[in-house]
């Protein structure tokens, strides 16, 4: 569904065919806020269109963890939610690294845990990834990138489209509609739409929960 089609759907849902109560800018903002909400809560398996595979390149020397630290800002795209969007990491062309939770960092100091630069451990730390042992490592990384914001330029009639899977657009419209009802303080209508959207998302996410 294009952004123009989403706007048409919102006009119908909001009974606002002339964009008088909710301007086009308000509707676009509602769509972008809906997108942000969904990305914070939806299972990453639904975000395949946003997944990036970045393999180590000798010409750019990236991705590279100097002294065991990878700055995510050096990647080609912004990572969704900071390190939260990181899916998989391996030593370039070699073994996959093993992720640890921050609460398990003490394991790296355990004499019985062997630290191997060919198969390192790593911990996600906000806008960086820390590896153990702390050595220079050439990396291949799979991550989910931040999508672009949807927009409309009235002077040119140009749209920036959604980069989410088209199958998610109906849910996106639900959240956007709820956002608009909140703007107009029609809270009962907002609650009804929002509860339906959350219920749908819960069912979708349950498919990938253990």
């Amino acid at each position: 569904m294009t952004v123009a089609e989403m706007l048409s759907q919102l006009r119908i849902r909001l009974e606002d065919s002339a964009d008088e109560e909710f301007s086009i800018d308000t509707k676009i903002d509602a769509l972008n806020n809906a997108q942000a909400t969904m990305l914070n809560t939806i299972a990453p398996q639904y975000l395949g269109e946003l997944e990036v595979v970045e393999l180590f390149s000798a010409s750019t020397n990236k991705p590279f963890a100097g002294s065991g630290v990878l700055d995510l800002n050096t990647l080609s795209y912004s990572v969704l939610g900071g390190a939260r969007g990181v899916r998989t990491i391996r030593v370039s062309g070699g073994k996959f690294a093993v992720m640890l939770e921050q609460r398990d960092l003490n394991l790296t100091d355990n004499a019985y845990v062997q630290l191997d630069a060919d198969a390192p451990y790593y911990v996600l730390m906000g806008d960086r990834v820390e590896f153990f042992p702390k050595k220079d490592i050439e990396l291949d990384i799979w991550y989910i990138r931040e999508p672009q914001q949807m927009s409309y330029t009235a002077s040119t009639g140009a749209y920036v489209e959604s980069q989410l899977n088209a199958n998610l657009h109906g849910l996106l419209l639900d959240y956007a509609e709820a956002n608009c009802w909140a703007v107009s303080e029609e809270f009962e209508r907002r609650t009804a739409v929002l509860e339906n959207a959350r219920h749908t998302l819960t069912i979708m996410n349950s498919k990938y929960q253990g």
Side-chain angles (χ1 to χ4, degrees), residues 11-12 14-20 27:
R11 290 184 184 107
I12 294 170
L14 299 167
E15 302 162 8
D16 185 39
S17 60
D19 300 317
E20 293 176 346
K27 291 182 175 77

Side-chain angles (χ1 to χ4, degrees), residues 24-206:
I24 290 179
D25 285 346
T26 297
K27 291 182 175 77
I28 293 287
D29 286 344
L31 286 167
N32 282 318
N33 289 334
Q35 178 173 266
T37 298
M38 287 175 56
L39 291 175
N40 282 331
T41 52
I42 198 167
Q45 289 86 348
Y46 291 108
L47 302 176
E49 282 72 14
L50 301 177
E51 186 165 302
V52 177
V53 180
E54 208 160 321
L55 305 179
F56 179 78
S57 168
S59 63
T60 62
N61 199 37
K62 297 176 183 179
F64 181 75
S67 299
V69 178
L70 170 65
D71 181 354
L72 294 177
N73 295 313
T74 63
L75 298 176
S76 299
Y77 299 93
S78 296
V79 181
L80 179 66
R84 187 173 58 83
V86 173
R87 300 286 283 145
T88 310
I89 303 176
R90 74 179 176 194
V91 176
S92 182
K95 296 180 181 179
F96 284 92
V98 178
M99 188 179 78
L100 294 176
E101 300 292 339
Q102 291 189 29
R103 64 175 178 271
D104 297 324
L105 265 175
N106 61 313
L107 291 176
T108 62
D109 296 323
N110 191 315
Y112 293 97
V113 176
Q114 294 186 342
L115 300 180
D116 181 0
D118 292 328
Y121 293 97
Y122 70 93
V123 178
L124 304 177
M125 305 283 284
D127 62 352
R128 70 186 190 279
V129 182
E130 295 191 10
F131 293 84
F132 303 90
K134 290 184 173 296
K135 296 184 177 181
D136 291 349
I137 309 173
E138 298 172 354
L139 301 168
D140 301 329
I141 181 169
W142 286 252
Y143 63 94
I144 298 172
R145 63 182 175 85
E146 291 276 3
Q148 61 192 9
Q149 295 276 293
M150 290 165 277
S151 67
Y152 170 68
T153 304
S155 60
T156 62
Y159 291 91
V160 173
E161 303 293 349
S162 170
Q163 295 179 315
L164 299 183
N165 187 296
N167 292 324
L168 299 177
H169 290 176
L171 186 60
L172 183 66
L173 282 170
D174 286 344
Y175 277 105
E177 180 187 349
N179 289 338
C180 288
W181 291 135
V183 169
S184 63
E185 299 185 353
E186 297 186 61
F187 296 116
E188 288 188 7
R189 300 183 78 169
R190 172 186 180 271
T191 298
V193 176
L194 194 56
E195 286 182 352
N196 180 67
R198 288 171 173 168
H199 178 68
T200 299
L201 189 56
T202 298
I203 293 173
M204 290 170 60
N205 285 345
S206 68

